[in-house]
């Protein structure tokens, strides 16, 4: 922690600094300590995730493994990523935990017959489910982070994941990824979506930073160009759902608006997350502010639209899960990951623009985290709260993974132009832009 502190500067000239809690003030020593404590709490909470095979158990509200639930590829990959970060940060035992998750991805969760990764395995270890772009993107992310952390088998896993992704999911002529196949990779679902493409951008940028394969940064740019165009045409609300011809389907799941992965309407949290990823790509691609100015503008527009539609709009703090196309809330519940992404993006925008409004937003997010979302009793973050910030245990019971929350304790400290694993490995703390 002391080594980190040497890299930090202290900005205290904002509306919250006087007579308020400096633990929430971006770039202050107190906030560094707050983030450090939060991160340690998260990493300690999750240590019991690995099944004997290495795949990740779903964790209950107190971190106890739910051994009767399926063990999913996307959660295992996220845990591999998190504990690879923890290993690079010096956490005792983290490398072994990351190694177990990488083993689970390399063995039990991999389909030896048809290739690619199962969606999940049953409690008895039987693989099933479609081959999902979403899960495969996280395998690439996990492998890249683990490779940087020196985890055995990670490089081989990355190469295998790249080959599967390139063959079945990436469509270079369109500059987009398809969503899911059947197990045999013979039937392609007609649904197309931006959630999987968003995490593909994250994975591609991580790959480019970890391996130097510039093609993945170029691919990320192709996806981003589509997203900016679609969002700009929708008043900076991002259309999530499409058909096989990539025509927008604004009524998708209107009859089941609370779908776990494909909810109806607009997801403000995704607008916030895209804002940061777009800016990360632009900062890593262009050498001067003049070149990335249009992408900074897009990021700002996405962030402001999401905040206007989603943050504290129904009388209580928090970001609503979804809205309709006019920005009216549909699902008022607050997901923990939206707060994590808001923390990240507000910090990045302040560091790039130096506009105080983003530091002020960050303060509000930190306060909300401390008072409502961080479970100071059992550990980790509550994964879902209702409109009145009461814990909701339907749909997302327990606290299944640490990915979004852990990243939000790191991204505010490191260079916004670099994927978090590469930044941590190379100690690329934020030192200013321009």
């Amino acid at each position: 922690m002391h080594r980190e502190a040497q890299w930090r500067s202290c900005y205290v000239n904002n509306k919250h600094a006087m007579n308020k809690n400096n633990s929430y003030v971006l770039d202050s020593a107190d906030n560094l300590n707050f983030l450090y404590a939060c991160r340690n709490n998260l990493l300690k909470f999750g240590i019991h995730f690995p099944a004997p095979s290495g795949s990740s158990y779903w964790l209950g509200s107190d971190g106890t493994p739910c051994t009767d639930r399926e063990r999913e590829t996307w959660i295992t990959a996220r845990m591999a990523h998190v504990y690879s970060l923890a290993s690079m940060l010096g956490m005792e035992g983290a490398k072994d935990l990351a190694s177990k998750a990488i083993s689970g991805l390399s063995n039990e969760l991999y389909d030896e017959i048809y290739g690619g990764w199962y969606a999940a395995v049953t409690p008895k270890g039987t693989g099933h489910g479609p081959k999902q772009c979403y899960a495969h993107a996280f395998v690439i992310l996990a492998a890249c982070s683990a490779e940087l952390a020196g985890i055995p088998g990670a490089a081989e896993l990355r190469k295998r994941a790249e080959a599967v992704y390139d063959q079945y999911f990436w469509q270079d002529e369109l500059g987009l990824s398809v969503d899911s196949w059947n197990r045999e990779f013979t039937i392609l679902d007609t649904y197309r979506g931006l959630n999987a493409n968003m995490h593909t951008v994250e994975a591609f940028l991580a790959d480019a930073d970890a391996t130097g394969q510039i093609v993945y940064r170029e691919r990320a740019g192709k996806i981003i160009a589509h997203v900016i165009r679609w969002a700009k045409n929708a008043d900076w609300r991002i259309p999530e759902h499409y058909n096989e011809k990539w025509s927008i389907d604004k009524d998708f799941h209107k009859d089941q608006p609370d779908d776990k992965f494909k909810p109806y309407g607009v997801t403000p949290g995704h607008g916030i997350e895209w804002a940061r990823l777009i800016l990360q790509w632009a900062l890593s691609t262009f050498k001067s502010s003049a070149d990335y100015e249009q992408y900074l503008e897009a990021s700002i527009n996405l962030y402001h639209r999401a905040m206007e539609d989603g943050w504290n709009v129904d009388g209580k703090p928090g970001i609503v899960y979804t809205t309709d196309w006019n920005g009216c809330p549909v699902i008022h519940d607050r997901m923990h990951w939206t707060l994590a992404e808001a923390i990240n993006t507000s910090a990045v925008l302040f560091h790039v623009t130096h506009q105080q409004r983003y530091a002020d937003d960050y303060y509000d997010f930190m306060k909300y985290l401390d008072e409502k979302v961080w479970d100071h009793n059992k550990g980790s973050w509550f994964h879902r709260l209702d409109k009145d910030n009461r814990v909701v245990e339907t749909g997302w019971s327990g606290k299944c993974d640490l990915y979004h929350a852990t990243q939000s304790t790191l991204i505010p400290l490191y260079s916004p132009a670099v994927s978090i694993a590469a930044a941590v490995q190379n100690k690329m703390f934020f030192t200013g832009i321009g």
Side-chain angles (χ1 to χ4, degrees):
M1 183 186 73
H2 299 296
R3 183 173 57 190
E4 288 179 341
Q6 295 173 1
W7 290 81
R8 309 310 304 138
S9 57
C10 185
Y11 297 87
V12 295
N13 297 318
N14 65 56
K15 69 180 184 181
H16 297 294
M18 300 300 294
N19 302 318
K20 295 267 182 147
N21 191 337
N22 277 347
S23 294
Y24 310 148
V25 176
L26 180 60
D27 292 332
S28 69
D30 287 342
N31 185 238
L32 176 65
N33 291 331
F34 181 89
L35 294 174
Y36 187 79
C38 185
R39 184 198 317 159
N40 285 349
N41 177 272
L42 289 162
L43 295 175
K44 181 180 179 181
F45 178 89
I47 60 174
H48 300 298
F49 79 84
S53 60
S55 55
S56 180
Y57 288 123
W58 189 286
L59 298 180
S61 60
D62 61 355
T64 300
C66 300
T67 59
D68 59 340
R69 294 190 64 147
E70 293 183 340
R71 301 187 295 276
E72 301 186 62
T73 292
W74 65 275
I75 294 178
T76 306
R78 286 181 170 191
M79 291 305 227
H81 168 68
V82 164
Y83 283 97
S84 294
L85 291 171
S87 177
M88 290 186 278
L89 290 164
M91 176 183 173
E92 184 177 356
K95 187 170 184 178
D96 181 59
L97 291 170
S99 296
K100 289 178 180 178
I102 292 298
S103 177
L105 292 170
S106 300
N107 296 289
E108 182 180 45
L109 288 162
Y110 182 74
D111 186 346
E112 294 286 354
I113 298 176
Y114 296 105
W117 280 265
Y118 296 115
V121 295
T122 67
K124 294 184 178 180
T126 302
H128 71 90
K131 301 294 172 60
Q132 305 161 322
C133 177
Y134 183 89
H136 283 69
F138 275 111
V139 174
I140 293 175
L141 178 70
C144 290
S145 300
E147 187 173 358
L148 288 173
I151 306 300
E156 293 77 8
L157 176 65
R158 171 183 58 79
K159 292 173 184 176
R160 183 192 292 182
E162 289 170 349
V164 172
Y165 199 102
D166 289 356
Q167 181 174 357
Y168 293 110
F169 295 103
W170 179 247
Q171 295 192 325
D172 197 60
E173 69 280 6
L174 293 176
L176 291 162
S177 297
V178 298
D179 199 77
S180 62
W181 294 82
N182 64 342
R183 179 190 172 188
E184 297 81 7
F185 284 114
T186 57
I187 301 174
L188 176 62
D189 196 304
T190 59
Y191 173 84
R192 304 286 184 270
L194 286 191
N195 192 11
N197 275 273
M198 180 178 69
H199 288 292
T200 292
V201 167
E202 179 186 32
F204 281 177
L205 292 177
D207 201 321
D209 288 338
T211 70
Q213 297 183 93
I214 302 303
V215 64
Y216 289 107
R217 198 179 313 282
E218 294 171 347
R219 289 182 181 183
K222 291 181 179 181
I223 297 172
I224 285 168
H226 288 291
V227 172
I228 291 176
R229 174 170 54 85
W230 283 320
K232 187 174 183 179
N233 290 336
D235 198 18
W236 297 105
R237 297 183 178 102
I238 298 177
E240 299 273 353
H241 311 299
Y242 302 77
N243 63 22
E244 69 274 18
K245 296 182 179 180
W246 282 100
S247 295
I248 299 169
D249 186 354
K250 287 189 173 182
D251 290 329
F252 187 83
H253 275 170
K254 194 170 185 177
D255 58 339
Q256 43 183 322
D258 197 17
D259 186 88
K260 285 178 65 175
F261 288 102
K262 301 172 183 176
Y264 162 73
V266 181
T267 307
H270 282 166
I272 293 169
E273 193 167 359
W274 272 112
R276 179 179 61 82
L277 288 170
I278 289 168
L279 191 51
Q280 179 188 328
W281 172 80
L283 289 168
S284 68
T285 300
F286 302 110
K287 300 300 183 182
S288 71
S289 59
D291 291 325
Y292 67 73
E293 190 69 32
Q294 62 178 311
Y295 300 101
L296 172 59
E297 182 181 1
S299 295
I300 289 172
N301 284 330
L302 286 168
Y303 176 83
H304 287 183
R305 167 53 66 201
M307 285 288 289
E308 182 179 338
D309 288 353
W311 172 252
N312 199 17
V313 296
D314 49 13
K316 297 290 178 65
I319 301 169
V320 300
Y321 184 28
T322 62
T323 73
D324 64 18
W325 292 99
N326 295 313
C328 298
V330 175
I331 303 298
H332 288 256
D333 290 358
R334 289 86 160 96
M335 303 297 190
H336 84 290
W337 65 264
T338 62
L339 175 63
E341 293 304 327
I343 289 168
N344 292 337
T345 304
S346 60
V348 167
L349 284 172
F350 175 71
H351 288 154
V352 172
T353 69
H354 310 297
Q355 292 184 19
Q356 192 59 47
R357 61 182 303 172
Y358 301 117
D360 293 342
D361 286 350
Y362 180 90
Y363 184 102
D364 292 336
F365 299 146
M366 285 281 108
K367 185 174 187 291
Y368 178 61
L369 166 63
D370 196 17
E371 294 181 352
K372 301 296 183 182
V373 181
W374 184 351
D375 184 349
H376 291 282
N377 181 26
K378 294 182 179 179
S380 189
W381 296 12
F382 297 118
H383 271 37
R384 182 169 184 162
L385 303 172
D386 69 9
K387 179 180 179 179
D388 296 312
N389 287 304
R390 297 172 299 196
V391 178
V392 176
E393 285 286 359
T394 57
W396 291 102
S397 62
K399 301 164 183 169
C400 59
D401 81 289
L402 312 174
Y403 153 77
H404 283 286
T406 300
Q407 290 198 150
S408 74
T409 69
L410 292 168
I411 288 173
L413 306 179
Y414 288 86
S415 168
V418 184
S419 301
I420 191 58
V424 168
Q425 173 65 9
N426 294 297
K427 301 178 178 62
M428 301 177 69
F429 297 100
F430 169 74
T431 56
I433 297 294

